[in-house]
Amino acid sequence: MKRALVTGGTKGIGLAVSKMLLHEGYFVTVTYARDAAAAEDCAQAMREISPHFEVIKADQSDKDEMKSLVKHLQEQKEINCIVCNAGTTLKKDLPDITDEEWEKVMAINVNAPFFLIRDLYHIIPHGSRIVFIGSEMAIHPHGTSIAYGVSKTAVHALATNLVKFFEGTDTTINAIAPGFVETEWQSTKPEQIRQNIYAKTAIKRFASVEEIADAVRFCINNPFVNGSIIEVNGGYCYK
């Protein structure tokens, strides 16, 4: 059985991706940072699909936890699919962002997935799949979260640059750039702001998490899609 890893996979897009991979026949390792209740809910939801999964606490801001995750995965001998989904955001005005806040966003969103793939490199067999969850905010900059937008731009660059290091292995690396998605992050967004976003989007709604997971499925099942940044945004900024 092929093995997959989904970081930040206990809710939102990550949970939808984790469920999709179970349906695709993978043994799925799911990580989470702090929300133990969401982790238990995830386990229950996945148990209804397949017994072939595990949920592990691995906060990407904690190097010791990430080292433990790597050691655990190395003991499994190979990892055939990695979906780098975990991330964080920061909504502050430019003058108010501290060094520590900026560095934390970069550490979680950019450094941690790079270190993870670097440390797992020797157990990623030929023909594997690596997918990053980037963001439309890396393509259309947004004024409320410069740290997030810049970090996701770096994620897109990481995906395309890693292609060179896996050349000749039939392993593919791609990034999905979602637009606005119905997740916990968006649940408190005021209706007026939602309507403003709808007005910029041809489909006039947010994406479902399943629609983003389906884009990940496409990358996993098409062996010729490589080095791509795939926008899933409903026609955002189409005007």
Side-chain angles (χ1 to χ4, degrees):
M1 176 176 287
K2 290 185 176 182
R3 304 186 70 94
L5 167 68
V6 182
T7 65
T10 59
K11 50 189 173 181
I13 292 171
L15 177 57
V17 170
S18 300
K19 290 178 178 179
M20 177 273 292
L21 288 167
L22 281 181
H23 283 297
E24 291 287 314
Y26 286 85
F27 182 98
V28 183
T29 297
V30 179
T31 71
Y32 71 100
R34 289 172 297 277
D35 193 337
E40 180 54 39
D41 289 344
C42 165
Q44 179 58 40
M46 295 181 72
R47 200 173 289 119
E48 294 173 2
I49 300 170
S50 167
H52 300 129
F53 72 92
E54 59 185 357
V55 181
I56 295 176
K57 187 178 186 302
D59 185 340
Q60 291 196 171
S61 67
D62 187 319
K63 289 188 176 182
D64 289 335
E65 288 190 8
M66 293 303 289
K67 287 178 181 177
S68 295
L69 172 66
V70 166
K71 182 178 179 181
H72 171 74
L73 293 171
Q74 287 173 336
E75 291 172 352
Q76 314 310 312
K77 306 303 182 184
E78 69 177 28
I79 186 81
N80 310 94
C81 176
I82 300 173
V83 180
C84 295
N85 169 72
T88 190
T89 190
L90 175 69
K91 293 184 178 181
K92 295 183 75 172
D93 288 338
L94 179 61
D96 299 326
I97 299 172
T98 67
D99 292 3
E100 292 76 17
E101 288 171 333
W102 179 272
E103 289 165 358
K104 182 177 180 180
V105 173
M106 297 303 157
I108 293 173
N109 292 0
V110 184
N111 298 352
F114 170 74
F115 297 149
L116 181 66
I117 292 168
R118 178 199 65 187
D119 293 343
L120 295 177
Y121 180 79
H122 293 295
I123 64 166
I124 300 174
H126 286 206
S128 295
R129 302 286 179 262
I130 300 173
V131 182
F132 292 87
I133 304 301
S135 175
E136 189 68 24
M137 289 176 67
I139 299 167
H140 293 106
H142 198 286
T144 64
S145 187
I146 185 172
Y148 181 78
V150 171
S151 71
K152 289 299 186 176
T153 301
V155 166
H156 292 183
L158 179 57
T160 55
N161 278 269
L162 281 173
V163 169
K164 298 296 183 182
F165 291 89
F166 285 87
E167 184 176 354
T169 68
D170 288 332
T171 290
T172 63
I173 304 99
N174 296 285
I176 305 300
F180 289 85
V181 184
E182 292 288 2
T183 65
E184 184 179 85
W185 279 9
Q186 303 295 345
S187 62
T188 60
K189 193 176 291 297
E191 183 61 26
Q192 182 178 352
I193 294 177
R194 293 177 73 96
Q195 290 299 326
N196 290 340
I197 295 167
Y198 295 163
K200 298 179 182 179
T201 308
I203 303 298
K204 305 299 182 186
R205 62 174 175 84
F206 288 4
S208 70
V209 292
E210 290 78 16
E211 286 167 329
I212 306 305
D214 201 46
V216 176
R217 188 203 315 270
F218 169 70
C219 291
I220 289 169
N221 289 331
N222 190 317
F224 204 67
V225 178
N226 195 21
S228 296
I229 310 299
I230 299 174
E231 296 182 59
V232 187
N233 61 18
Y236 184 72
C237 287
Y238 77 102
K239 293 182 178 179

